Structures are given as structure tokens and as C-alpha cells.
Amino acid sequence: MKILHTSDWHLGRTFHTHSTLEHLAVVLDALVALVRQHGVDVVAVAGDVFDSAMPSKESYALLTGTLRRLKDAGASVVMTSGNHDSATRLGFQSEWAALAGIHVVTRPEQYREPITITDEHGPVHFYGIPYLEPALIRHLHPGVLLKTHEQVLNYAMTQIRDDLARRGGRSVVLSHCFAAGIAPAAESSDVERDITAGGLDVVPLGVFDGCDYVALGHIHGRATLTERVRYSGAPLHYSFSEAGKPRGAWLVELGPEGLGAVEWVDLPVPRRLVVLTGELAELLDDASLVEHEGDWVKAILTDQVRPLDAMRALQARFAHAVALEHRPSIRVDPVGTSYAERIGSATTDPEIIAGFLAFVRNGVGPTDFESALVAELLTEKSARAANS
């Protein structure tokens, strides 16, 4: 059986106020093409299908069209809800969708009943674990300590292992969590137990023992925690911190005895992300940067003084410049006196203004032009006062 592991589609997410739906549609079309090309039997989507609890109609339309094309390409789909999703909205009419081979797992008790798909070697049980917020589900299990995500997933996986022991066969688990190779809570310190990512506390890898493959979601970069426990990452870049990281999915093969080959397959990047660093004039004039004129651009300006209207100037060359940071290349540390002490020692208006500019500009005082301008303005002020 061939399984394509993907996650974190985040339908409806914006990138610095720009819609990502058009680009995501390109990527999901390519994902459908991968299904056809490799003869994928099951597409596993491990949570955060939508970016918000109230998706737009355009987001629903893209999801519906993608699921239809995946089905037409010959694949079944197993999809779980993540911490960004509304389980109710994502799971609406899931009972009917399951009749067409589109299995959407959102209710907290659904992980107990696997979705069983059979190939020539027998059954493969897909256990979808929707995002289970401890505070919202602990009332369903009185007497069970469920304060952390680790405890919740450990409880769910214990039941999954018991169910799998009765059924027999191969198994795949889908989970949306922050998993890492750390000690279980009983063996870790208070500091280790306090680690979280995106509101999800750390889940030790040992929680997922006992199944053939674990398809994880939540982390946006691909990661191989063990040969059988992996993150696929998001199919689209959603942050400049993800610039340069590959986008794609894991192509997983289950043989008659369990996990076989696992291969990374790339997805296209409709618009690259790049971080450009330098003075504004350099970024505008550097001929070697022509290749980035169509990219999403974040500029880190190293000018000693923040340039006026820098974003407008950048967008004249880089139409998709969306983020700007001022980080002077040289930071002049002020002398040991405080700002109040330095201003208090000033005896003239130009000295006061020069001290203020040095304070707000990391120790860089006024330029010759600024000093001349200040002197001119103060002279005009004195002249008006004398004539009044």
C-alpha cells in the first residue's frame, strides 16, 4: 500500500495580509498529480486543514475540489482535525463523505474505531487522532488524569494498541502534536515538562510505540524523528523563518510485514521567500538581486538612519516586498550617562536636539544636513519671536 503523508494545509491563511489560496491551489493540484504519478492508495492529512475555526467559502471550495480530485485520482483520504480547525465545521457531513472514501476524523472518540483499508496483503488500520484539547475532553473520561497533551495521547494510544492487538494487521496513526525525543513526564524535570510549541506541550516519541507508521502534523518543516515517525511539514511557506525549507510530502510504502520504503517527494513553490540584507541603496541598485524581483521579500536594512518611505522604495523594485526590519550595521553605544543626564547637561537647543537624535538612533547624532536644518529652523523661530 502506498500512502502520501501531508499536513498543515492551513486553507485560508494570509501571508502578510496577502491571500495564499491561489498559491495553495497550485500546490494541491501538484499533490493530486503526485497521487496519480505514484499510484497512491491513501492520502493521510494530519491536521490543520483550515487555518481558522471559521473558514471562508473560498477555503471550503478549494478543499472540496481537492478532495474530489484526489478521489478521482484513485486515492482514499484519511484526514484529522488540528488545533487550528473547528472540529465541527471540518467534520460536517463526514458520515456521507466516508461513503466515497473521504474519511474525516474530528470527534474525540473516533480514534477508537480505525478506518480499515485492505490491499493484497491484508488490512491496514488507520487510527486518526483528532486534536484533543485536555481541558475539553477530560470530562469524557472521569477518573483518568488528562492534564497534558502527553497524557491525552498516551491514553489514546494505549486504547489503540489494545484494539490493534485484537484486530491484527498493519497500522498507521495520524496525530497533530509537538513530538520530540524527550523523557516521559514521569522522568523529566519541571523545566522539560514546560516546553510547548504553538500551544501544544511536548509529547515523547515513546507514546507512539506499537504502530507501523506515525503521520504527524503541527510542525511546518519536514522532520524524521525515527524511520516510522515523521512530520511532513506544510505544503506552502507561511513564514520567512521557513524560507529555503523544502515543501513536499512523504511517500510511504507498507509491505506485507509493515513499513517499507519512505521517500520524500517535492511540491512546487509558487513564489519563493527571500530575506535581503543591506543598505536601502544597495538593495535597489544591486544587479545580482534581479532574480528575487518576483519573490516574497523581507528586507533587513542596515542603514545607520532609518530611510524614509523605505517600503515604497523597495516595492518599486521588489513588487512583493512585504516585511521590513531596521537593523543598523553599526550600533554606537552611548556613554555611561543616562539620556536624562545627557539632555540635562545640554545648554542650547541644538545640543538638546542632537542628544535626542543620538538617543533614538542608537548613538548616531545628526548629519551635517540635519544640523544645518535645525539651525535654520531655530533661527526662523527666533526671528518670528522677535517680530511678534
Side-chain angles (χ1 to χ4, degrees):
M1 181 176 292
K2 291 186 178 180
I3 302 162
L4 193 66
H5 166 201
T6 177
S7 73
D8 295 274
W9 291 1
H10 286 282
L11 291 158
R13 187 161 188 159
T14 58
F15 182 77
H16 293 272
T17 75
H18 296 268
S19 172
T20 62
L21 277 179
E22 182 179 347
H23 287 172
L24 187 56
V26 172
V27 175
L28 293 179
D29 279 347
L31 188 130
V32 173
L34 286 175
V35 169
R36 293 186 185 278
Q37 176 186 348
H38 295 281
V40 170
D41 300 295
V42 181
V43 176
V45 188
D48 279 357
V49 178
F50 291 119
D51 188 61
S52 73
M54 299 184 67
S56 65
K57 64 178 181 180
E58 292 82 7
S59 297
Y60 271 112
L62 180 54
L63 176 62
T64 301
T66 301
L67 294 177
R68 181 178 61 252
R69 291 191 296 275
L70 288 173
K71 180 62 180 176
D72 290 344
S76 297
V77 176
V78 179
M79 174 181 290
T80 60
S81 53
N83 58 309
H84 276 252
D85 295 305
S86 162
T88 301
R89 287 183 171 86
L90 180 62
F92 180 63
Q93 293 190 339
S94 59
E95 182 179 352
W96 305 110
L99 299 177
I102 308 296
H103 306 275
V104 185
V105 182
T106 60
R107 297 193 308 276
E109 74 282 359
Q110 279 186 281
Y111 67 84
R112 297 174 177 173
E113 284 292 327
I115 296 140
T116 300
I117 300 174
T118 303
D119 65 5
E120 65 272 23
H121 303 298
V124 177
H125 307 295
F126 289 82
Y127 293 90
I129 306 177
Y131 174 63
L132 302 176
E133 172 60 48
L136 299 180
I137 69 160
R138 64 172 64 111
H139 70 282
L140 301 175
H141 309 284
V144 181
L145 182 62
L146 299 176
K147 289 186 176 181
T148 68
H149 210 55
E150 175 189 344
Q151 291 168 342
V152 170
L153 286 179
N154 190 55
Y155 180 72
M157 282 300 303
T158 297
Q159 295 179 78
I160 287 172
R161 283 188 287 267
D162 290 344
D163 182 78
L164 185 59
R166 290 191 296 269
R167 295 177 186 273
R170 296 158 293 165
S171 61
V172 175
V173 168
L174 289 74
S175 181
H176 195 84
C177 67
F178 179 39
I182 62 170
E187 303 173 17
S188 60
S189 69
D190 290 338
V191 174
E192 291 167 328
R193 288 199 296 271
D194 196 39
I195 299 174
T196 61
L200 281 67
D201 46 294
V202 179
V203 177
L205 292 182
V207 166
F208 296 105
D209 287 347
C211 51
D212 292 295
Y213 186 76
V214 180
L216 295 178
H218 181 55
I219 303 300
H220 283 195
R222 73 175 181 186
T224 301
L225 305 185
T226 71
E227 283 302 307
R228 63 179 192 85
V229 182
R230 299 172 187 255
Y231 284 101
S232 65
L236 198 65
H237 291 117
Y238 289 116
S239 167
F240 279 102
S241 64
E242 301 169 12
K245 295 181 179 179
R247 302 289 91 169
W250 291 112
L251 182 62
V252 181
E253 291 191 26
L254 290 185
E257 302 302 323
L259 184 63
V262 181
E263 174 189 358
W264 177 257
V265 287
D266 288 308
L267 288 169
V269 178
R271 178 170 290 135
R272 298 178 304 175
L273 280 70
V274 65
V275 179
L276 303 179
T277 302
E279 293 189 359
L280 178 60
E282 295 173 351
L283 300 185
L284 297 179
D285 296 337
D286 189 344
S288 68
L289 300 181
V290 65
E291 64 175 305
H292 299 303
E293 291 179 357
D295 297 344
W296 292 118
V297 171
K298 175 181 178 179
I300 299 176
L301 299 183
T302 59
D303 303 72
Q304 287 304 114
V305 177
R306 180 187 289 270
L308 295 175
D309 212 9
M311 182 59 85
R312 185 184 298 274
L314 282 166
Q315 289 176 339
R317 181 180 186 187
F318 306 102
H320 305 290
V322 293
L324 181 64
E325 180 182 339
H326 182 224
R327 192 185 300 169
S329 57
I330 301 175
R331 298 182 64 89
V332 181
D333 293 328
V335 295
T337 56
S338 68
Y339 172 64
E341 290 171 336
R342 286 185 284 118
I343 295 301
S345 65
T347 59
T348 65
D349 287 344
E351 289 177 349
I352 293 173
I353 294 172
F356 172 76
L357 290 175
F359 173 72
V360 299
R361 299 198 306 208
N362 303 305
V364 179
T367 64
D368 291 342
F369 170 78
E370 291 169 336
S371 295
L373 180 61
V374 167
E376 179 182 342
L377 293 173
L378 290 174
T379 299
E380 290 180 4
K381 178 184 176 184
S382 297
R384 287 196 301 269
N387 294 328
S388 62

